[in-house]
Each structure stands twice: as structure tokens, then as C-alpha cells.
Amino acid sequence: MKKLFLSFVLLAAWGLGAHAEVDPNFYIYLCFGQSNMEGNAQWKNIDSQVDSRFVMLATCDFSSPSRTMGSWYKATCPIVSPAGKLGPTDYFGRTMVAALPTNVRVGVVAVAMGGSPIEMFDKDKYEQKLAEHPDDWWAILAKQYYGGNPYGRLIEMAKKAQKAGVIKGILLHQGCSNNGDPNWPNMVKKIYNDMLTDLGLDANDVPIFVGETERQDMGGGCYYHNTVVAKIPTVIPTGHVVSSEALPGNGVDAWHFSADGYRTFGKRYAAEALKVMGLEFKANPDYVMPSYMKIFFTPKSYNDYIVEEPGSTVDLKLMCTYTNGHQEQIIDAKFTSSDLTITDGKVTLGEAGTKSIVTASFTDFFGTQHEVPITLEAAGGSPTHVLMVNSGTDNTSKNQNVIFDMQGRKVGTKQEWESLPSGIYIIDGMKAVR
């Protein structure tokens, strides 16, 4: 109870603008963009657990939970605005406090509107853009929450934050409303430079981290924008791209990530920020990590058996299932093999029936090294029948959930099939991956 009271007093002091010196161990990150930065996934009970070292500066008034613009609060959802949900900022902050020295606090100052074009953050263009689209959803949000001037609100709140801590970086996620615009990197550069000037910052001290949009193979509808996101480091020397590779979409639309996708994305933003500071992506050994975070970072199993056609080229990827059940690709995994030649992360399989081993190596967030042997098999020919579930609509399988092959032959009940451990099974001479 005493700890809770002390935390409340400290947060209240920040919110009231107590006359304290700037804390060099209070790292602040500015965040802006459109709906993915605003957060689009419904949070769960586990997402309501937040370390008191991770805080947010409210950039508008909230009614639920009750928050006042310009005051500091523990960074529980929603962080960005009353219209937002779980987004990348949530697990960015959680990961940062887990990795940084325990005397360091992390604060985020975020402004974002769903559907917003990048021009709404250009202080020389936002008024014209708003006048041209007064009734668009993003325009309504800009007026409702940010007085019609999102950039101005972000700078106003950033200046307030500078009285408490030190701005260490800027996070951006935007693109679908400017999908593939070749001038987008230059527009981002102008906004970034304006921010640095208006806040008296040096680019070398305040890098910008730009996240990719949802990839095509994950169902992303704005994947082409990643071709221009990739140009950020060439246009902005202190710009860094945060990969969206294998981040799952929400399965509802073609623009937003799932809750698991946002959690992993936030972790990747943190990994880039730590790297720029010259720090390892590694938990601080002095940090007492709560169980909900520990299982989020603890690997449990992997995709360790791959079956493809003979002579096909396989893009090597290590997918990991973590103890909390979420899956993500280990994008920094290194692959070696004594059987196959690896070129640009790809291998070519041999003749039908041959098997080869590739070893994936990586170090997890706790500093533990993992070596995962992956078996690659060149399958013997194309499948001639596919497993499918019969829900019990015919007389022979009434009220049963029976699995048949395409020739109508029973191969077992759904319960029997699902009770088998993962692996490769032979059903009437055909391979089936469980």
C-alpha cells in the first residue's frame, strides 16, 4: 500500500508540474502517425499490468479512464487517445523498462489519428489539408482531440515533457494514407527537422524510428508503402526502419495488426532504440520481471520440420512459440548448415526423399543462446489427397467429427488427429503435416 501511495504521489507531482530539476534518467519518446500508432487492437487483462516506470503524458483529455491533458499517468491502455486501443507504444515502453537500468523511467508523448495523411503533421500544410477534408474521420479526430493542429499539440506537450526528462527518440507509424508516395520520405524528413528545430534538439541525440506497414504475405493492403519506408535511412541519416516481417494482421481488414502483432512490433521498436544507444536487446539482470512479461519473452517451441517440393528454394525463417502462446518470427536468427549452401538466407532442396539439417541460432531476451535444428525434407511428389473434416452430415458419420481424405476414406476422428503430437504422418502413403 505504501508503494502504491508513493507511486501516486510521484505521478501527481509530475502532473502538477512540480518544481523539480530535469531528470536525465527519464527517457522520453515522441510518437505520431495514424491508426496503427493510435492502436487498433482490443487490449486484454494482461495488458493492463504496467510497470510504474513506464508512463504517458496525456496529449488530450480522457473521460475513461479520467485523464487531464498535460498530466503524467501510468501507461495503461489506451495510451494515445480515447479513440485508440492497444498499439506498438504499449510494449515498446514495457520492453524498454525491462532492458534499461532500473533507475531509468520511460515516458511516451503520443499524437495519432486513424486514417490521417502525413501532411497533418506538417506545420505548413495541415491547415490546407484540414480545409480540404473537413468531414473525414481523421479530420474530426484532429479537431476533437488536438484542436485541429496535431503537430502543434505534439510540440506543446513535448515542451512540457522536456521540463521533466530528456527526449531520446521519435517513433512514427504512418503510410496507408500516403501509400507508396515517392515523396513521403522527404515529407517525413521535413516534419522530423521541424520537430528538432522547434524543440531545440540535435538529430544525433534524437533518432527517428519508422515502422513498416503490414506485409503482403500477412494480408496487408498497404504493403507497397514499405518500398518508400525502406528509403528513410538514405534520406534521414538518423532514421531507422522497424521491420514488420511476419507480424500478423487482425484478420478483419487489410491495414491493422493483431494484438500479438502490436506487442511484437513494440518489442522491435525497442530493440532498434536500444541498439542505437549501443545497448544489447537484453533484460537488465537487476530488473524483477513480472510473470506476464517473463512468459512473453520465454521461447517454448519452434517450427523445426519443413516439407517442400524437390528442388524448391526455401526462405529460411525461424518461427517461435513463446510460453504465453503467441508466435513470432525471430528476425535476427542466424542459419548454418553442413548439408546445404545458404545464400541470402535461402537454400535449395535436393532430390525427392532427401533430408537436410539447418541450424538456427539466436540469443533470447534473457541472454540465453538457442540452437534449433530444423529438418528440411524434399517431399516425394505432389499430394494426391487432402485431409478435410466431415461435420457429420452423411449417414456414415452422423454426429461424428470424422476426417476423410479426398477419396472419401476415413482416416480418424478429428479428436484423434488433434491428439497427435506435431510432426509428419503417413496416411495411405501420403505425408500429412500435423
Side-chain angles (χ1 to χ4, degrees):
M1 181 63 71
K2 289 183 178 179
K3 286 186 176 180
L4 288 173
F5 178 74
L6 179 60
S7 296
F8 174 79
V9 170
L10 288 172
L11 288 171
W14 296 342
L16 294 172
H19 297 291
E21 294 183 4
V22 172
D23 182 358
N25 293 317
F26 184 19
Y27 294 0
I28 295 165
Y29 291 85
L30 309 182
C31 311
F32 73 105
Q34 57 184 112
S35 55
N36 278 306
M37 181 58 75
E38 186 181 39
N40 189 260
Q42 183 57 52
W43 61 85
K44 298 182 179 179
N45 288 337
I46 193 170
D47 301 312
S48 299
Q49 303 179 56
V50 183
D51 192 297
S52 60
R53 289 166 51 213
F54 176 34
V55 296
M56 56 164 282
L57 183 66
T59 60
C60 62
D61 292 327
F62 289 68
S63 58
S64 180
S66 179
R67 292 170 178 163
T68 302
M69 181 179 71
S71 296
W72 291 100
Y73 300 89
K74 185 184 287 190
T76 54
C77 296
I79 287 178
V80 182
S81 77
K85 295 181 180 180
L86 182 76
T89 52
D90 293 271
Y91 279 75
F92 167 77
R94 286 167 169 79
T95 305
M96 293 295 283
V97 298
L100 291 167
T102 55
N103 66 328
V104 173
R105 291 175 289 140
V106 174
V108 291
V109 181
V111 170
M113 304 87 66
S116 175
I118 195 67
E119 292 88 346
M120 280 301 292
F121 293 94
D122 186 326
K123 65 180 184 179
D124 299 316
K125 295 181 178 180
Y126 79 94
E127 289 180 308
Q128 179 182 348
K129 204 71 177 176
L130 201 60
E132 293 171 349
H133 303 271
D135 299 322
D136 282 13
W137 175 241
W138 50 264
I140 294 171
L141 291 175
K143 289 180 281 190
Q144 180 178 359
Y145 296 127
Y146 308 120
N149 184 0
Y151 176 86
R153 179 63 57 82
L154 184 57
I155 296 301
E156 176 190 359
M157 293 296 103
K159 287 181 177 179
K160 187 175 184 66
Q162 284 180 303
K163 296 177 181 180
V166 181
I167 296 176
K168 289 286 188 176
I170 299 171
L171 279 57
L172 167 63
H173 195 282
Q174 194 278 338
C176 283
S177 294
N178 298 84
N179 189 14
D181 185 343
N183 195 44
W184 186 84
N186 288 316
M187 289 191 282
V188 172
K189 180 180 180 179
K190 179 187 181 301
I191 295 167
Y192 174 56
N193 287 340
D194 285 344
M195 287 182 174
L196 297 176
T197 300
D198 291 342
L199 296 171
L201 301 171
D202 189 305
N204 292 319
D205 300 325
V206 186
I208 183 169
F209 304 95
V210 183
E212 294 182 331
T213 55
E214 187 180 345
R215 299 264 180 122
Q216 182 180 18
D217 60 349
M218 303 304 290
C222 303
Y223 63 89
Y224 184 70
H225 192 67
N226 291 332
T227 61
V228 295
V229 173
K231 297 177 181 178
I232 283 291
T234 63
V235 175
I236 305 173
T238 50
H240 305 269
V241 174
V242 182
S243 172
S244 67
E245 184 172 4
L247 293 185
N250 62 12
V252 177
D253 58 56
W255 308 286
H256 301 108
F257 300 98
S258 66
D260 281 342
Y262 286 125
R263 296 183 189 105
T264 301
F265 214 1
K267 185 163 71 170
R268 290 182 183 177
Y269 270 98
E272 286 295 323
L274 292 166
K275 182 169 66 176
V276 168
M277 287 190 284
L279 301 175
E280 291 184 273
F281 181 65
K282 183 179 179 181
N284 187 314
D286 295 328
Y287 178 61
V288 180
M289 186 177 291
S291 60
Y292 79 94
M293 285 291 287
K294 189 171 292 184
I295 61 176
F296 176 70
F297 283 109
T298 303
K300 181 181 179 181
S301 60
Y302 311 93
N303 63 322
D304 56 4
Y305 206 112
I306 298 173
V307 180
E308 294 288 351
E309 293 296 311
S312 61
T313 298
V314 177
D315 189 3
L316 296 173
K317 295 180 180 180
L318 180 64
M319 295 299 299
C320 175
T321 300
Y322 285 78
T323 304
N324 72 336
H326 89 278
Q327 290 186 322
E328 64 179 79
Q329 182 179 332
I330 308 297
I331 59 176
D332 59 351
K334 308 298 182 186
F335 297 92
T336 57
S337 178
S338 59
D339 301 329
L340 297 169
T341 299
I342 301 175
T343 305
D344 296 328
K346 297 179 173 60
V347 296
T348 301
L349 300 187
E351 298 177 353
T354 59
K355 294 182 181 181
S356 303
I357 300 294
V358 169
T359 300
S361 305
F362 76 100
T363 302
D364 68 23
F365 191 60
F366 302 103
T368 302
Q369 293 185 336
H370 298 259
E371 290 193 350
V372 183
I374 302 174
T375 301
L376 288 85
E377 179 179 355
S382 300
T384 57
H385 43 280
V386 180
L387 298 180
M388 60 182 181
V389 174
N390 185 311
S391 59
T393 56
D394 61 20
N395 292 330
T396 61
S397 57
K398 188 175 182 179
N399 298 323
Q400 298 180 55
N401 217 8
V402 181
I403 297 178
F404 290 83
D405 64 24
M406 290 298 287
Q407 277 67 44
R409 294 172 294 188
K410 178 180 175 180
V411 296
T413 66
K414 182 174 184 287
Q415 288 75 19
E416 288 171 340
W417 175 252
E418 291 183 343
S419 68
L420 295 172
S422 298
I424 306 297
Y425 292 89
I426 306 299
I427 300 175
D428 290 339
M430 286 305 305
K431 291 184 178 66
V433 181
R434 168 76 179 93

